[in-house]
Amino acid sequence: MQGDIRAQEPVTVRTFTQLFSSTPRGARLARRLAANRMDVWGFAYDSEASEDVSLVVAELAANAVRHGSVRSFRVRLVLRDGVVRVEVADGRTERLPVLREPDGEGGRGLVLVAALAERWGVEPRIGMAHKVVWAELLVGLGG
């Protein structure tokens, strides 16, 4: 009977969640705390993984501030099996972001997110009065 039992490696899931004010200062703080969290998880500040995750957080946070029309937004990072999932939730559900070519007024944020992420998308949260824009980045196992 012992031959049927397979040892499984425990899966470590690390999470970080923080609420930020819907201001440019809040977006800057979100980026800094994302870099800090990546460092705590073993990805040095100047590593490609940390810089990519920080940039994605910065772009999604800036969009939440610019288009979210609420007092705050939430950033959640989840590290599991070498993938960081970045989630930014804000209270505006009627205006879902779309990828478009950059123009003189901006529009580069989601292009950068799409370039850095393996996958990204938007999830309206029905009955919860907010949406979540998310991106998943391959980062390896870190420290």
Side-chain angles (χ1 to χ4, degrees):
M1 200 77 188
Q2 280 185 323
D4 294 334
I5 299 173
R6 296 186 184 143
Q8 291 185 347
E9 296 271 330
V11 175
T12 301
V13 178
R14 298 173 178 170
T15 62
F16 167 80
T17 304
Q18 182 72 44
L19 196 62
F20 297 93
S21 64
S22 191
T23 63
R25 183 173 185 245
R28 285 191 306 274
L29 183 58
R31 179 182 182 144
R32 287 183 181 171
L33 289 181
N36 177 265
R37 181 53 45 179
M38 291 296 290
D39 185 59
V40 168
W41 288 344
F43 300 92
Y45 282 98
D46 60 349
S47 69
E48 183 177 347
S50 179
E51 290 178 356
D52 288 352
V53 168
S54 298
L55 181 57
V56 167
V57 168
E59 295 300 336
L60 296 182
N63 282 350
V65 168
R66 192 172 299 119
H67 306 296
S69 76
V70 293
R71 294 180 196 204
S72 62
F73 64 93
R74 178 183 52 82
V75 173
R76 181 172 185 247
L77 305 177
V78 179
L79 172 61
R80 180 184 177 134
D81 297 331
V83 175
V84 171
R85 181 177 171 103
V86 175
E87 298 177 352
V88 176
D90 69 57
R92 188 158 187 181
T93 57
E94 70 275 8
R95 185 172 180 179
L96 299 179
V98 292
L99 183 63
R100 61 184 172 84
E101 290 301 314
D103 58 27
E105 298 298 313
R108 292 174 188 80
L110 291 179
V111 172
L112 288 171
V113 170
L116 294 172
E118 293 299 309
R119 302 179 327 132
W120 75 278
V122 182
E123 297 174 359
R125 299 294 169 115
I126 308 303
M128 296 182 78
H130 72 272
K131 71 175 178 299
V132 174
V133 183
W134 59 270
E136 294 177 344
L137 294 87
L138 293 176
V139 296
L141 298 178

